[in-house]
Amino acid sequence: MQPCLAQFSSSNEGYSAVGTYSRHFTDVFSFCVNQASLSEAKNTVAGIFSERRFMLKELTIYSAAIAKPMLSGGMAITADFTGNKDYSQTKIGLAYGRALGEKLALGIQFNYNRMHISGYGNAGSVDVEIGSILHLTEKLHAGWHVYNPFVTKAGHYSTERFPSVYTIGLGYEVTEQLLINTVVEKEENRPVKVNVAMHYALMKQFFLRGGIASAEGLSFIGAGISWKNFRTDAFASWHPRLGFSPSLLLVFTCKKEEQASND
Amino acid sequence: MLMGFASMAQQDQFAYTAFAQKMEMQAEKDDFQTEDDSFLQQTDYFRKHPLNLNEADEDEMRKLFLLNEFQIKNLISYRRLFGNLVNIYELQAVPGWNVATIQLLLPFITINDKKSMAQNLESRWSGGEHNFLINTSRVLEKAKGYLKPPVSANYYQGSRNRLYMRYKYNYKNILQWGILGDKDAGEQFFKGKQKAGFDFYSFHFFATKLGLVKSLAIGDFTVSMGQGLIQWEGMAFSKSAEITSVKRQSPVLRPYASPGESNFHRGIGITLQKARWETTAFVSLQKIGANKETDSVSDPGHITSLLSSGYHRTASELEDKNNVRQFSAGASFSYTKKGWRVSLNAVHYRFSIPIQKQDRPYNLFALQGRYFTNISLDYSYTYKNVHLFGEAASDKNYNHAFVNGVLISLAPSVDVSLLQRSISRDYQAVYGSAFTENTMPSNEKGLFAGVSIRPSSLVRLDAYSDVFKFPWLKYRVDAPSWGREYFLELSYIPNKQVEISTRYAAKSKQENKAGDNTTTSLVNNINRRNWRIHANVNISRSFTIRNRCEVIWYETQSLATEQGFLTFIDFLYSSALKPWSGNLRLMYFETEGYNSRLYAYENDVLYNFSIPAFFDKGYRCYLNLHADLSRLIKKRIDKKLSTECWVRYAQTIFIGKNEISEGLDQISGNKKTELKLELKFGL
């Protein structure tokens, strides 16, 4: 079953993946990167994200996610959309992740993908992604994640399919302020991609993130400000030949009354 | 504990390795080896006269080459806040100074409160050291250029020996002068065209710390400004595992006393310093060698390229010797305040005949004309754990070039460096050398990011990525192109006796398709991937073993993959009790061609270094012996005279070849042997 469609991916995956393999830097979008990090969900969080890919309106991507700790783990619902009335791709996912003991966490997500091309109709498919995180030490965390291992078709009549993506990640929490993260990703039929990124909290309310990816030579840099329950990030990724992709992210944490923090 | 199993000599080896690694990556990139041994001269000087860190200023600490910007600035602040350091162990309290760095530096530093001896002018002239060096070497096999009768009109006219002599006086690096003469193999000596004896003579005089005059240079000296966009001569490293050395730093004027026959100025230079201001001015007039072309009989000719090898062996090489006059002048004004330093720099070059490169598409924006002027503004700023630096430059046609970088110490165990360069395709700087992929700073845009992580004293991880593109054509690249480079090195140091490291590097660039001889060739991707494992083990206080294994894969779209392999083992012996030391290397290499060549840094006699490229199949071995004959000689001649001697024997044996090299350097047979002898007398 050839050929492969382009995977629905945004810069957010590289950006939010930074916090995924850690204990203290996770957020609602890092749950989308590896569902096992849902085991770290302590409060209900919701987030929205938007990216203008390569500065083209037609390639804008929108994402939303909401996660809530429940069933001794965490559950999340995610939604992604890109396109316009003539062509669009939508993905809706339901995820669950929990910890199995002190050191291990597992997560799983079911997605419904829909592609719409005017004149051709819609094509829907379901796929699954699984992930696991291992807390090697207090500071070092490793994990793996597989997207679409069972090779589902893009639609009932389609010969196209979404590619499988295999990832391993490693996060090193150097200090309370600094996190270094590496992710090695292999998407079917594409060269291996190695991402290295860093998260540095200059102050409790303000942080910087930056990273690079091999293969295409992508890099990104971003900053985030948090105030009470809100956090907003602005970041941009840069492709050496296709240009900039600016993005905006907003996260809202619904802190439980007993756990209301004083910052 | 800092002092331990490793002896001083072995500490020395660690520093050597740090330097060697940078030199190797430089040689790989440029495919060219410099003869500038100023770094080796400096470290040798510091070995004999350790730098007192309680007194050294920033420029002196930079001469150590092993300290990064943070470490230097932090030590200065520490001294200001807490006064002088009590002993070496206190260095560990300075932010950014870790045990690994201190151990590397131990042979070259000292901590004491002794005020330096009165540096009045008289004692400077007589209280220093005199050193006289003679170095001679010879390739034992006769190359084609030496055959009698000569095989062609161009042949090597001189003898097969290389001879180099240097006298130098040095008073604590504050006052130094010297003269040197160099004759390469194949050049004549007091015969034929070399009536004056050596092919290359150099004189230098360099004085520092004369009150208002910070430095005074007469004779041969090097000029380096900013980040190298308009002017940089002398040692400059680009990408290496030491990711914090992305910043170029050097005093504007430095003495030049190396046998390399290019990349220096001959004239006068002076640096004045008063409070926050520092001003440098220099002027020079010298003859240089260049490839000349004339269009017609009456045409004075034009320069197609400047020569740098310094070889004047054959008739045609001698014709190009010193055939162009170069006049240059320049100035630099800098202002320092708190964490800031800003400099305004300018250089001007004037040639007796114009530079006009060959008329090819890739030379559309190349150097052109008789006069060249460049100005730049460079800055650096330190704020807490962040160090910003950069330079903005312009040439005579108002083309611009920018370099901006930042060094950040994110945590005691993590350093990050970033460097951005944006140099327009038509930017011209005759003697510029910046942090670029290209040899000259021109036609390049790129972003470099590096990180160094030391989670514990056992493990060290260095990595960098460089993404760059060339907006215009290049030599052998008939289209704008791009490239990428990734590097990762993991070192494991379980104790003071063992260091193991593994390194993976991948580099992609574009080049014309091999065999495509059309006017505008297709451009292909070329990938080079390297994997190396290296181990250093101190078997005992005097004995060290080094081992390396390296593989390279060279891939391009049009040709088959070439693979290369190299492995060597070194035995190093050096004992504090014995006056002699030595090292031996045994190496095997096998590559499928020149494209999959591998470089390996070799130990050599004092002040020499050798980073040959190895390709095809064969063995390499060398033996270095060093003997301190002072005790033997002292009794007989003079109590103060020190005499040292180095001997080197190096041989490469190729398998399956009956000819080595090409052209006049061709040797028949499959062996190439070199013998080198160096004597150093000191008073």
Side-chain angles (χ1 to χ4, degrees):
Chain A
M1 256 194 302
Q2 308 294 323
C4 273
L5 281 174
Q7 203 223 0
F8 193 145
S9 71
S10 62
S11 306
N12 195 17
E13 281 178 23
Y15 182 79
S16 290
V18 180
T20 308
Y21 299 97
S22 71
R23 271 208 208 272
H24 303 107
F25 296 87
T26 56
D27 63 38
V28 66
F29 288 109
S30 49
F31 303 152
C32 304
V33 173
N34 188 331
Q35 293 70 32
S37 68
L38 272 169
S39 61
E40 298 296 320
K42 293 183 182 55
N43 305 299
T44 305
V45 277
I48 52 172
F49 162 81
S50 151
E51 174 183 3
R52 183 168 281 222
R53 207 134 176 150
F54 308 129
M55 307 283 282
L56 295 174
K57 184 155 161 279
E58 294 76 8
L59 298 178
T60 309
I61 300 176
Y62 300 97
S63 291
I66 184 162
K68 188 180 160 78
M70 59 160 74
L71 301 174
S72 59
M75 285 207 77
I77 301 176
T78 69
D80 305 276
F81 173 81
T82 185
N84 52 31
K85 63 174 176 47
D86 291 321
Y87 173 82
S88 68
Q89 275 182 273
T90 315
K91 177 173 144 184
I92 300 182
L94 183 67
Y96 174 69
R98 69 169 289 172
L100 297 170
E102 278 264 327
K103 297 226 175 220
L104 181 63
L106 279 178
I108 189 164
Q109 176 168 326
F110 293 96
N111 300 309
Y112 170 71
N113 293 287
R114 188 186 93 132
M115 194 172 15
H116 165 80
I117 305 177
S118 66
Y120 288 86
N122 304 325
S125 66
V126 176
D127 56 40
V128 69
E129 37 186 313
I130 321 170
S132 158
I133 295 184
L134 204 61
H135 301 286
L136 300 169
T137 71
E138 261 311 297
K139 296 196 173 188
L140 201 56
H141 313 272
W144 55 262
H145 180 259
V146 183
Y147 171 80
N148 191 19
F150 304 117
V151 178
T152 57
K153 288 193 283 199
H156 199 62
Y157 302 103
S158 164
T159 52
E160 293 179 34
R161 46 187 257 281
F162 289 109
S164 310
V165 183
Y166 302 88
T167 314
I168 31 172
L170 189 67
Y172 177 44
E173 294 180 76
V174 186
T175 66
E176 268 173 19
Q177 299 166 291
L178 177 64
L179 166 70
I180 303 179
N181 186 75
T182 303
V183 166
V184 177
E185 184 184 296
K186 176 77 183 77
E187 185 179 326
E188 246 187 287
N189 296 341
R190 311 219 63 191
V192 175
K193 205 157 80 156
V194 178
N195 295 11
V196 179
M198 262 178 248
H199 171 113
Y200 183 57
L202 284 133
M203 290 174 256
K204 231 174 140 102
Q205 295 87 354
F206 180 63
F207 67 80
L208 288 174
R209 266 192 202 172
I212 48 159
S214 73
E216 292 114 34
L218 282 165
S219 54
F220 74 82
I221 187 158
I225 302 181
S226 43
W227 180 67
K228 291 211 182 140
N229 292 354
F230 286 93
R231 186 187 108 202
T232 174
D233 294 9
F235 66 96
S237 82
W238 175 72
H239 188 284
R241 280 180 288 178
L242 296 171
F244 274 99
S245 306
S247 315
L248 208 54
L249 194 153
L250 194 63
V251 172
F252 173 70
T253 309
C254 185
K255 298 210 167 95
K256 297 202 186 94
E257 272 168 30
E258 312 94 75
Q259 291 173 356
S261 50
N262 299 329
D263 50 0
Chain B
M1 285 294 285
L2 283 177
M3 299 301 277
F5 205 68
S7 64
M8 270 306 191
Q10 285 164 336
Q11 305 287 12
D12 217 342
Q13 288 300 331
F14 285 131
Y16 216 54
T17 314
F19 174 65
Q21 195 258 130
K22 284 195 211 180
M23 294 297 298
E24 256 173 14
M25 300 197 65
Q26 197 68 21
E28 266 181 57
K29 182 174 90 74
D30 292 338
D31 220 352
F32 165 75
Q33 203 173 289
T34 172
E35 277 188 279
D36 189 343
D37 59 357
S38 50
F39 166 76
L40 293 170
Q41 289 185 46
Q42 271 306 314
T43 38
D44 189 54
Y45 183 80
F46 285 129
R47 201 179 294 121
K48 304 223 163 65
H49 310 272
L51 184 65
N52 185 2
L53 289 181
N54 270 340
E55 272 193 339
D57 62 24
E58 274 184 44
D59 278 335
E60 284 171 316
M61 284 196 247
R62 290 204 183 101
K63 287 192 186 139
L64 284 171
F65 263 103
L66 292 165
L67 291 172
N68 67 42
E69 201 57 24
F70 286 121
Q71 288 160 333
I72 296 174
K73 292 232 159 24
N74 286 340
L75 180 61
I76 305 269
S77 314
Y78 186 92
R79 268 177 10 198
R80 213 180 297 134
L81 282 172
F82 301 110
N84 280 355
L85 293 140
V86 170
N87 57 34
I88 297 259
Y89 303 100
E90 198 179 341
L91 279 171
Q92 295 174 88
V94 182
W97 285 68
N98 50 49
V99 175
T101 306
I102 300 170
Q103 285 196 314
L104 274 184
L105 287 172
L106 274 180
F108 312 109
I109 55 168
T110 180
I111 306 274
N112 59 50
D113 274 333
K114 270 189 295 193
K115 288 269 188 280
S116 23
M117 304 273 278
Q119 286 159 20
N120 53 21
L121 292 172
E122 292 122 66
S123 65
R124 294 190 197 191
W125 287 92
S126 52
E129 278 186 0
H130 302 261
N131 273 310
F132 184 68
L133 187 89
I134 305 177
N135 178 315
T136 179
S137 66
R138 183 187 177 98
V139 173
L140 298 183
E141 292 81 7
K142 212 173 202 179
K144 208 155 141 186
Y146 297 107
L147 292 175
K148 298 266 184 303
V151 293
S152 65
N154 257 339
Y155 63 96
Y156 292 152
Q157 297 177 356
S159 75
R160 285 159 57 193
N161 291 334
R162 188 255 174 135
L163 183 63
Y164 171 57
M165 287 198 199
R166 175 171 68 203
Y167 162 76
K168 189 164 167 136
Y169 171 82
N170 190 343
Y171 178 81
K172 297 189 199 291
N173 266 350
I174 303 171
L175 179 65
Q176 48 187 290
W177 71 75
I179 184 165
L180 67 88
D182 185 32
K183 165 194 137 29
D184 291 305
E187 287 168 355
Q188 291 170 309
F189 194 56
F190 286 111
K191 264 206 291 213
K193 290 260 168 33
Q194 308 283 10
K195 294 259 180 342
F198 288 102
D199 171 61
F200 176 67
Y201 284 102
S202 166
F203 164 77
H204 75 281
F205 173 90
F206 199 82
T208 64
K209 297 198 177 154
L210 293 164
L212 183 64
V213 176
K214 183 175 173 192
S215 359
L216 173 66
I218 302 174
D220 293 348
F221 57 93
T222 63
V223 182
S224 305
M225 294 173 172
Q227 291 300 306
L229 284 176
I230 68 171
Q231 172 71 33
W232 194 276
E233 288 166 335
M235 274 312 182
F237 301 112
S238 292
K239 298 169 252 193
S240 73
E242 214 127 320
I243 56 112
T244 46
S245 45
V246 294
K247 183 189 177 197
R248 302 242 158 150
Q249 44 204 32
S250 167
V252 182
L253 299 175
R254 285 183 97 126
Y256 186 76
S258 304
E261 298 174 41
S262 60
N263 247 9
F264 65 91
H265 285 272
R266 188 164 281 181
I268 302 184
I270 186 164
T271 301
L272 303 167
Q273 185 181 44
K274 179 151 184 165
R276 301 188 186 283
W277 290 91
E278 190 183 292
T279 308
T280 306
F282 76 90
V283 71
S284 93
L285 181 62
Q286 66 206 91
K287 289 210 180 115
I288 58 170
N291 273 327
K292 239 162 95 162
E293 251 181 39
T294 50
D295 290 331
S296 64
V297 177
S298 53
D299 182 18
H302 54 262
I303 302 171
T304 52
S305 62
L306 297 171
L307 295 168
S308 58
S309 71
Y311 285 139
H312 302 115
R313 309 162 292 192
T314 67
S316 60
E317 282 172 349
L318 282 163
E319 256 177 43
D320 289 339
K321 178 175 173 169
N322 294 346
N323 54 356
V324 173
R325 255 207 318 278
Q326 174 189 289
F327 167 80
S328 66
S332 167
F333 305 98
S334 43
Y335 180 70
T336 313
K337 180 162 180 167
K338 287 212 182 135
W340 273 101
R341 189 192 151 103
V342 178
S343 307
L344 190 62
N345 315 297
V347 283
H348 175 76
Y349 284 95
R350 197 172 273 238
F351 297 95
S352 53
I353 53 173
I355 298 182
Q356 176 75 45
K357 302 248 169 170
Q358 298 204 314
D359 192 12
R360 299 266 190 290
Y362 66 84
N363 275 334
L364 189 60
F365 304 108
L367 290 175
Q368 202 177 59
R370 270 187 66 195
Y371 312 115
F372 297 88
T373 310
N374 291 73
I375 58 166
S376 81
L377 181 73
D378 82 84
Y379 70 89
S380 73
Y381 177 55
T382 312
Y383 175 69
K384 291 200 184 160
N385 58 341
V386 177
H387 182 80
L388 287 158
F389 60 93
E391 188 177 10
S394 167
D395 66 10
K396 64 180 179 184
N397 297 322
Y398 305 108
N399 301 312
H400 50 77
F402 302 104
V403 158
N404 292 297
V406 61
L407 299 172
I408 314 176
S409 182
L410 284 177
S413 57
V414 179
D415 288 323
V416 168
S417 64
L418 286 165
L419 189 133
Q420 166 270 349
R421 60 222 188 249
S422 185
I423 307 173
S424 64
R425 61 188 183 178
D426 36 17
Y427 178 77
Q428 298 174 1
V430 190
Y431 291 103
S433 165
F435 189 92
T436 54
E437 177 65 24
N438 282 338
T439 328
M440 295 284 288
S442 181
N443 188 30
E444 184 167 334
K445 292 192 199 315
L447 181 65
F448 170 93
V451 65
S452 174
I453 307 173
R454 294 168 300 275
S456 71
S457 59
L458 295 177
V459 179
R460 188 189 153 131
L461 185 74
D462 299 297
Y464 70 73
S465 101
D466 192 25
V467 177
F468 46 89
K469 70 177 177 202
F470 307 115
W472 185 243
L473 281 55
K474 292 194 333 154
Y475 174 59
R476 287 186 22 193
V477 190
D478 289 347
S481 60
W482 52 261
R484 263 180 260 128
E485 187 174 346
Y486 303 108
F487 176 95
L488 178 70
E489 184 172 80
L490 186 64
S491 311
Y492 176 59
I493 308 147
N495 51 50
K496 275 190 222 44
Q497 290 87 51
V498 179
E499 180 175 340
I500 306 174
S501 65
T502 182
R503 168 202 293 192
Y504 177 76
K507 189 163 179 172
S508 313
K509 274 175 90 162
Q510 294 182 307
E511 238 175 60
N512 283 348
K513 184 170 165 183
D516 186 342
N517 291 322
T518 53
T519 315
T520 311
S521 310
L522 275 177
V523 161
N524 269 352
N525 295 350
I526 301 209
N527 297 330
R528 266 197 186 90
R529 283 176 296 139
N530 256 62
W531 183 33
R532 169 196 293 194
I533 306 178
H534 186 106
N536 243 56
V537 182
N538 293 344
I539 307 280
S540 68
R541 270 194 83 89
S542 348
F543 209 53
T544 305
I545 291 189
R546 279 205 291 243
N547 205 322
R548 178 188 295 186
C549 195
E550 186 163 353
V551 188
I552 183 172
W553 295 270
Y554 174 88
E555 291 157 344
T556 172
Q557 289 158 264
S558 44
L559 300 171
T561 305
E562 266 184 47
Q563 204 177 39
F565 172 77
L566 177 159
T567 180
F568 68 69
I569 183 162
D570 285 349
F571 302 95
L572 300 110
Y573 177 82
S574 144
S575 164
L577 304 166
K578 300 235 172 40
W580 57 271
S581 64
N583 53 72
L584 169 72
R585 169 174 293 186
L586 301 168
M587 182 169 111
Y588 172 70
F589 60 92
E590 182 181 327
T591 80
E592 286 170 351
Y594 181 69
N595 285 326
S596 45
R597 63 192 179 279
L598 285 163
Y599 292 81
Y601 185 92
E602 300 188 338
N603 282 75
D604 208 319
V605 304
L606 186 69
Y607 305 140
N608 283 183
F609 48 82
S610 155
I611 316 165
F614 295 102
F615 52 95
D616 296 328
K617 190 166 157 184
Y619 302 97
R620 168 103 174 144
C621 75
Y622 66 70
L623 175 68
N624 289 312
L625 288 170
H626 167 226
D628 189 345
L629 306 166
S630 310
R631 264 179 255 161
L632 290 173
I633 309 277
K634 262 181 194 169
K635 292 177 195 162
R636 311 218 179 152
I637 303 183
D638 188 312
K639 282 211 172 64
K640 285 193 298 174
L641 181 72
S642 81
T643 312
E644 290 180 84
C645 162
W646 287 262
V647 176
R648 181 181 212 244
Y649 172 85
Q651 184 177 66
T652 313
I653 304 172
F654 288 94
I655 301 170
K657 265 197 192 184
N658 42 24
E659 260 165 16
I660 303 174
S661 293
E662 286 164 346
L664 291 172
D665 284 328
Q666 191 173 77
I667 297 171
S668 57
N670 69 337
K671 290 199 193 46
K672 185 168 175 185
T673 318
E674 193 196 24
L675 201 56
K676 201 184 286 195
L677 172 69
E678 185 169 275
L679 287 165
K680 182 170 171 226
F681 303 99
L683 209 60

